[in-house]
């Protein structure tokens, strides 16, 4: 496996808080690689280290076999991108193209604006753009200069459903048709499952799980019932080995026909059940299992 | 590539019309208006015999370019400098630029862009100022003379233009340092203003009596450095009351280098290792 991005025992501390805590990870070349994790898991910090925006406190990282911070043709979009508000969409790409040493090629810029669906807004100043339009322009900026790798942090954040579908198709097309390695962070687990080939799940700055999407889902077992309850540890102990306590819920392995009896039993014992739902064998189940049921953002 | 980064900075600056106007074009317009008002006032107030005195155009030009680096020019150029050096923090655009281009080139592009437009400002202020003096002299029917010889005129013009430009660069350097250290556009304007007020107070508190003995004052206080460098470079020993002072001139030049290094060099050092987790 040829790794385009690596992290070796990577640590980044902000005072006493460790955003990354000895993370070791290798991202293979090609395809779409997803980085998942709840809030504060260290996804954005990891991306910023790879892009040379910040330095690690300890450990090492490489980007295309070189240390981070060496200028190269990497496309990137970190969080919702912002641009000088007085520039038009085309002006933003001209400016970034020049700054990247690409001479502001008009044909490339028009092509990128068309690819992200901003042709009609090309002459409009970005100060009037919606969040979704900023996202689209950010992706176009990331693709300037035909990079061999793009790093996208929440690429569909703020987009409407149509925009999300278009962006998914674009990301998949970049990997499949243009041979671009795409590394993305997203909290849309269904989206990641649809477009990523491999994923890494981060939790509290460490690697909780890594592998191909199909392997991870396969390893998560079958359907489980997720019950949102107070005091999950006590309720899990009450049920026994079939139950696993999470932060604010329990996951119970059982068949669908056994579920009503369990719910009746718990209700009879005075347990407050706020929500009951089946968690399928999907990335969400893997995520819940690996992060203890924290919010995916 | 530095040339590409400079082109990118210029593209962005010239499309930011409000900043471009207030930072670099307003001062020449203001200077033009002030000169016209001054001329009209003089025309109305001076008795005809004084109005008819000959005008030395060489002196007018040298004075115009020497005054082009004045307080108003410096203060307004701080607007341009603040937007140039703090803009990428405000718009959170460093994250778009730094993965693609070297931090040194990105910073140098800003410094070169500022230096270029500062020079344009100085030349426009000087030319417009001198043009109004020339038109006024024509309207008043003054005899126009050219008192300086060609060599002395060229030398003085180059010297005063250079020092006026350096005065703007000095302010730009302070703005660059303040912008980079604080990541704030307001601080990039207010800190240099505060520093310059302090330095003017220091200049008055510590006058230079003997350039050789007071070399450290010239070195450390930019107002003295500019003045002594200007006199030395212009060879103004030919003017009454001025003496060519090599010690003062060299201390002045060293002071200029010191202050530019402090501003731009300091800003570059900070930026080169700066954590851009949040611009």
């Amino acid at each position: 496996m040829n790794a385009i991005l690596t992290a070796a025992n990577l640590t980044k501390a902000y005072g006493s808080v460790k955003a990354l805590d000895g993370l070791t990870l290798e991202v293979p070349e090609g395809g779409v690689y997803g980085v998942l994790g709840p809030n504060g898991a260290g996804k954005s910090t990891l991306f910023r280290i790879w892009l040379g925006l910040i330095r690690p406190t300890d450990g090492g990282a490489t980007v295309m076999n070189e240390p981070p911070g060496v200028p190269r043709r990497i496309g990137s979009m970190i969080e919702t991108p912002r641009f000088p508000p007085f520039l038009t969409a085309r002006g933003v790409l001209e400016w970034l193209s020049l700054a990247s040493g690409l001479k502001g090629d008009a044909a490339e810029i028009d092509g990128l604006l068309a690819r992200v669906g901003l042709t009609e807004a090309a002459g409009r100043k970005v100060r009037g753009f919606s969040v979704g339009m900023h996202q689209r322009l950010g992706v176009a900026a990331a693709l300037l200069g035909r990079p061999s790798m793009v790093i996208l942090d929440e690429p569909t954040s703020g987009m409407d459903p149509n925009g999300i579908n278009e962006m998914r198709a674009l990301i998949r097309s970049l990997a499949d048709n243009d041979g671009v390695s795409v590394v993305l962070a997203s909290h849309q687990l269904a989206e990641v499952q649809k477009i990523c080939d491999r994923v890494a799940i981060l939790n509290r700055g460490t690697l909780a799980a890594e592998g191909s999407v199909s392997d991870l889902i396969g390893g998560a077992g079958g359907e489980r019932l997720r019950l949102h309850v107070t005091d999950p540890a006590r309720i899990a102990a009450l049920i026994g080995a079939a139950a696993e306590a999470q932060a604010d819920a329990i996951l119970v392995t059982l068949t669908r026909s056994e579920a009503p009896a369990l719910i009746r039993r718990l209700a009879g014992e005075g347990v407050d059940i706020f929500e009951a739902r089946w968690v399928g064998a999907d990335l969400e189940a893997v995520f819940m299992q690996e992060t203890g049921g924290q919010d995916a953002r | 590539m530095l040339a590409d980064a400079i082109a990118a900075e210029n593209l962005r600056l010239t499309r930011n019309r409000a900043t471009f106007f207030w930072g670099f074009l307003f001062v020449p317009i203001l200077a033009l208006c002030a000169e016209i008002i001054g001329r009209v006032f003089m025309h109305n107030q001076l008795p005809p015999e004084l109005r008819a005195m000959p005008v030395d155009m060489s002196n007018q030009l040298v004075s115009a370019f020497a005054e082009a680096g004045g307080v108003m020019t410096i203060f307004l150029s701080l607007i341009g400098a603040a937007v140039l050096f703090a803009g990428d923090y405000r718009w959170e655009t460093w994250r778009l630029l730094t993965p693609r281009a070297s931090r040194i080139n990105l910073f140098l592009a800003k410094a070169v862009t500022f230096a270029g437009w500062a020079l344009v400002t100085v030349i426009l202020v000087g030319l417009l100022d001198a043009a109004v003096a020339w038109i006024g002299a024509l309207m008043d029917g003054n005899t126009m003379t050219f008192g300086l010889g060609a060599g002395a005129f060229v030398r003085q013009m180059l010297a005063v233009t250079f020092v006026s430009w350096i005065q703007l660069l000095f302010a730009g350097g302070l703005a660059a340092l303040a912008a980079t250290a604080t990541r704030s556009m307001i601080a990039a304007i207010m800190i240099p203003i505060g520093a310059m007020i302090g330095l003017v107070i220091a200049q008055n508190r510590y006058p230079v009596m003997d350039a050789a003995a007071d070399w450290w004052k010239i070195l450390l206080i930019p107002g003295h450095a500019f003045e002594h460098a200007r006199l030395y470079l212009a060879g103004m020993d030919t003017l009454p009351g001025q003496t060519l002072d090599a010690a003062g001139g060299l201390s002045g030049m060293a002071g200029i280098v010191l202050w530019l290094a402090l501003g731009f060099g300091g800003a570059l050092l900070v930026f080169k290792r700066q954590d851009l987790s949040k611009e």
Side-chain angles (χ1 to χ4, degrees):
Chain A
M1 181 179 75
N2 186 19
I4 48 166
L5 295 168
T6 69
N9 201 25
L10 198 61
T11 299
K12 177 66 180 178
Y14 295 100
S16 59
V17 178
K18 282 186 176 175
L20 291 175
D21 189 4
L23 176 73
T24 296
L25 177 65
E26 289 193 352
V27 176
E29 186 175 13
V32 182
Y33 193 95
V35 179
L36 305 176
N39 259 344
K43 307 183 296 288
S44 291
T45 301
L46 177 62
F47 282 11
R48 286 172 187 275
I49 289 174
W50 275 332
L51 291 171
L53 295 171
I54 57 176
R55 291 163 191 270
T57 309
D58 197 11
T62 64
V63 179
M64 295 172 172
N65 300 315
E66 286 187 274
V70 177
R72 54 173 76 77
R73 296 275 164 82
I74 299 177
S76 62
M77 186 180 78
I78 299 293
E79 296 169 350
T80 300
R82 293 184 59 197
F83 306 101
F86 48 83
L87 290 179
T88 62
R90 180 176 282 111
V92 165
L93 296 186
E94 285 171 358
W95 161 61
L96 283 172
S97 175
L98 281 172
S100 311
L102 300 169
K103 314 293 181 197
D105 180 358
E108 185 194 15
I109 288 168
D110 287 341
L112 287 173
L113 287 168
R115 200 162 183 188
V116 298
L118 284 178
T119 299
E120 288 182 12
R124 280 173 51 193
K125 290 189 173 163
V126 297
R127 67 162 57 95
F129 277 19
S130 64
V131 174
M133 291 168 86
H134 272 92
Q135 293 288 111
R136 289 167 186 264
L137 187 56
V139 171
L143 297 178
L144 272 170
R146 301 175 190 279
S148 54
M149 173 173 62
V150 291
I151 294 176
L152 306 171
D153 192 0
E154 304 288 357
T156 57
S157 170
M159 285 185 162
D160 58 32
N162 281 341
I164 290 173
N165 281 334
E166 287 168 20
M167 192 55 68
R168 276 183 196 153
L170 172 62
I171 289 170
R172 217 36 265 184
S173 146
L174 285 171
D176 296 340
N177 304 328
D178 299 281
V180 176
S181 300
V182 182
V183 183
L184 64 86
S186 177
H187 66 274
Q188 304 280 353
L189 299 176
E191 170 183 295
V192 171
Q193 187 173 333
K194 278 181 187 163
I195 61 174
C196 289
D197 302 303
R198 291 182 74 85
V199 294
I201 299 175
L202 305 190
N203 191 25
R204 296 192 173 89
T206 60
L207 184 65
E210 200 275 342
S212 71
V213 172
S214 54
D215 284 352
L216 287 176
I217 290 173
E223 271 189 327
R224 291 195 292 177
L225 184 64
R226 185 171 191 269
L227 298 173
H228 185 187
V229 293
T230 50
D231 198 358
R234 185 179 68 83
I235 311 301
L238 200 67
I239 295 170
E244 178 191 328
Q246 297 192 315
D248 60 353
I250 54 170
L251 278 174
V252 189
T253 305
L254 76 175
T255 63
R256 287 197 172 228
S257 61
E258 294 167 335
L262 174 69
I263 292 170
R264 273 197 301 275
R265 180 187 148 203
L266 292 177
E269 293 188 29
V271 174
D272 292 330
I273 301 173
F274 300 97
E275 183 189 45
R277 70 184 165 109
W278 289 100
V279 179
D282 58 10
L283 206 50
E284 184 176 0
V286 179
F287 185 87
M288 294 292 186
Q289 189 174 308
E290 299 297 343
T291 64
Q294 295 179 64
D295 191 333
R297 276 158 287 186
Chain B
M1 296 282 285
L2 181 57
D4 295 318
I6 293 169
E9 278 299 335
N10 274 285
L11 180 145
R12 185 168 57 169
L13 178 65
T14 52
R15 291 191 188 180
N16 189 358
R17 289 179 193 151
T19 298
F20 189 58
F21 174 77
W22 289 106
F24 298 104
L25 298 181
F26 181 64
V27 171
I29 293 168
L30 192 71
L32 178 70
C33 295
E35 190 65 20
I36 289 171
I37 291 167
R39 279 276 148 189
V40 170
F41 180 78
M42 296 282 274
H43 180 86
N44 293 334
Q45 296 296 316
L46 285 179
E49 60 273 19
L50 280 180
R51 257 191 270 151
M53 284 181 70
V55 174
D56 183 347
M57 281 311 296
S58 62
N59 204 21
Q60 289 282 347
L61 275 162
V62 170
S63 297
F65 278 82
E67 288 160 14
V71 174
M72 188 57 76
T73 319
I74 287 176
F75 282 177
L76 286 168
S77 71
L78 282 175
I79 296 173
V83 172
L84 263 172
F85 291 103
D88 288 297
Y89 298 102
R90 185 185 184 113
W91 303 311
E92 297 181 16
T93 38
W94 277 131
R95 68 180 71 163
L96 298 170
L97 295 167
T98 51
R100 290 172 170 269
S102 88
R103 290 194 183 198
I104 293 175
N105 277 357
L106 290 170
F107 182 84
L108 288 179
K110 290 180 182 298
V112 170
T113 300
F114 177 76
W117 286 108
L119 184 60
V120 169
T121 300
V122 166
I123 291 171
L124 279 177
V125 170
L127 284 178
L128 289 173
D129 209 10
V132 173
W134 178 65
I135 292 166
L138 278 180
M139 289 172 68
D140 282 343
N142 297 113
T143 309
M144 280 183 271
T145 62
F146 209 87
L148 289 172
F153 173 70
V154 170
R155 180 176 176 180
Q156 290 193 16
M157 279 296 288
L158 288 175
V160 297
T161 305
F162 173 72
V163 175
S164 289
W165 179 55
I166 290 293
Q167 285 177 288
L168 297 198
L169 291 191
F170 158 70
L174 292 184
L177 182 57
T180 311
T182 65
R183 309 176 187 219
S184 158
M185 212 174 265
I186 295 294
I189 295 174
M190 299 313 293
I191 290 175
I193 288 176
M196 284 187 280
I197 289 171
L199 289 167
V200 168
I201 292 169
Q203 187 180 356
N204 293 327
R205 175 80 176 77
Y206 301 102
V208 174
M209 310 307 287
D210 175 348
D214 292 343
W215 61 270
W216 61 274
K217 293 180 188 171
I218 301 171
L219 187 70
L220 297 178
I221 300 173
H224 289 318
F226 298 141
E227 198 52 40
H228 282 80
R230 183 186 288 120
L231 291 174
Y232 180 67
L233 292 171
M236 285 188 174
D237 54 326
T238 54
L239 295 179
Q242 301 285 2
T243 54
L244 185 62
D245 187 339
L250 293 176
S251 298
M253 295 297 288
I256 284 171
V257 171
L258 179 77
W259 280 97
L260 291 184
L262 176 75
F264 290 112
L268 179 57
L269 275 180
V270 172
F271 177 59
K272 204 163 168 279
R273 297 187 62 81
Q274 193 165 43
D275 193 332
L276 295 171
S277 58
K278 188 75 181 172
E279 294 98 325

